[in-house]
Amino acid sequence: MKRALSLGIATLMVACVANAQSYPSESVTLVVPYGPGGASDLAGRALAESAREFLGEPITVVNQSGSGGMSGARDVSRAEPDGYTLLLARVGMALSPAVNANSSVDWDEYTFLSALEATPMILAVADDSPYESVGELIDGIESNPGAMSYAASGATAIDGFTIQTLLSDAGMDPLTAATLVPFRGGGALATALLGGHVDFLAISAASLMPHIESGDMRPLMVYSPQRIDALPDVPTAKELEYELAGQVVGWSALYGPPNLPEEVVTSWGEVLEQVAESDEWLDRADDRGSISTIGDVDMAAYAQEQYEFYRGLAEEFGYLE
């Protein structure tokens, strides 16, 4: 009887230890808060495929677009904090609350797991454009205010701010010097330029690199901390001394709902340390023109910096009183 009782207690203790160390014991859902095929989707699928072997369970990518990315972000922020629903966060998770007084999710309503990558934006024109440099493009815009157009997903989206900051840096009115033509998604924006519906744009490298490599588009400048390997001859906004534009860059991060258990946070920290050294992750980042930032950034502090930067732009450009 005593032996049976001892065995039962031992079994229970083993089970308790196993349960305490069981994360993850099933598939993890990674919500990409934008549609398929864009930079966010590519980053999410690259993470899912690269992290699976280190996590030990599948990672299912679910695209949930709407409200400029905030629909999916809101649902993750309200999900059960068990580590089985995570968010492929983008710059919009800091930008949208900064420019919208009634945002459904604030910038800090998450558990910040890690930065993932910087995703440079590229200022580009079609291959038959007369503009060979940023300076020439600026001169063209300045010579006929409002006549030239650019594609963006919205005035207060990052691909709207890429152009508006450049116009502001050049001493022009960021809202009237060129005309914004709205399109939804990176693919549609690129198609608008290729089809001659707009004169220029500045969107994510992932959406433009195939067209640049094919010769259908001409890159003029990158919004990135440093030149990107795929375009070594194309200068950065910072190099060209565009102060505001030099601070604009896309990024991806991994977020969870508030109050994730320490076990989950620790598990993902260990997984991402291995992902950061993974050839698959690094090669896929190179393919889409991104720069891995895992382990390089205090994500909570960086998200706050980004929120404050875009809040300042929204106030300066008149989007907020």
Side-chain angles (χ1 to χ4, degrees), residues 41-107:
D41 186 53
L42 294 173
R45 295 183 187 279
L47 177 63
E49 293 175 18
S50 302
R52 176 176 179 169
E53 67 173 298
F54 307 120
L55 189 66
E57 292 289 344
I59 301 172
T60 302
V61 175
V62 175
N63 295 94
Q64 186 179 336
S65 59
S67 301
M70 298 311 291
S71 176
R74 180 194 62 230
D75 286 357
V76 172
S77 74
R78 297 174 182 175
E80 186 72 24
D82 55 11
Y84 290 100
T85 303
L86 302 177
L87 177 70
L88 191 286
R90 295 284 287 176
V91 62
M93 274 73 267
L95 189 158
S96 186
V99 302
N100 296 308
N102 299 315
S103 177
S104 58
V105 191
D106 209 345
W107 72 269

Side-chain angles (χ1 to χ4, degrees), residues 2-72:
K2 288 182 178 179
R3 184 170 182 273
L5 182 59
S6 297
L7 286 172
I9 292 172
T11 301
L12 181 60
M13 290 177 65
V14 169
C16 288
V17 171
N19 286 335
Q21 299 176 339
S22 62
Y23 179 83
S25 59
E26 59 187 76
S27 176
V28 172
T29 296
L30 179 64
V31 175
V32 173
Y34 301 94
S40 307
D41 186 53
L42 294 173
R45 295 183 187 279
L47 177 63
E49 293 175 18
S50 302
R52 176 176 179 169
E53 67 173 298
F54 307 120
L55 189 66
E57 292 289 344
I59 301 172
T60 302
V61 175
V62 175
N63 295 94
Q64 186 179 336
S65 59
S67 301
M70 298 311 291
S71 176

Side-chain angles (χ1 to χ4, degrees), residues 271-305:
V271 166
L272 291 171
E273 281 184 8
Q274 297 174 87
V275 169
E277 302 297 325
S278 162
D279 287 340
E280 180 177 12
W281 169 254
L282 295 172
D283 289 346
R284 290 177 70 123
D286 285 343
D287 289 345
R288 59 184 186 277
S290 297
I291 303 164
S292 179
T293 57
I294 297 172
D296 295 345
V297 177
D298 179 333
M299 196 58 224
Y302 184 64
Q304 182 173 5
E305 290 172 7

Side-chain angles (χ1 to χ4, degrees), residues 24 29 47 94 105 108 112 122 133 171 184-185 193 244 260 283 293:
T29 296
L47 177 63
V105 191
D108 58 352
F112 299 99
I122 300 176
S133 69
R184 181 174 294 181
L193 182 60
L244 291 177
L260 278 184
D283 289 346
T293 57

Side-chain angles (χ1 to χ4, degrees), residues 234-284:
V234 179
T236 68
K238 189 173 182 179
E239 283 179 71
L240 296 176
E241 299 184 344
Y242 293 119
E243 181 182 357
L244 291 177
Q247 298 177 66
V248 176
V249 65
W251 48 263
S252 299
L254 185 64
Y255 289 2
N259 304 313
L260 278 184
E262 189 60 35
E263 176 200 9
V264 174
V265 175
T266 299
S267 293
W268 273 102
E270 294 170 351
V271 166
L272 291 171
E273 281 184 8
Q274 297 174 87
V275 169
E277 302 297 325
S278 162
D279 287 340
E280 180 177 12
W281 169 254
L282 295 172
D283 289 346
R284 290 177 70 123

Side-chain angles (χ1 to χ4, degrees), residues 199-222:
D199 299 298
F200 62 101
L201 45 60
I203 65 174
S204 69
S207 298
L208 294 187
M209 283 306 300
H211 306 295
I212 292 170
E213 291 168 350
S214 70
D216 293 325
M217 289 187 189
R218 181 184 306 134
L220 303 181
M221 183 178 78
V222 296

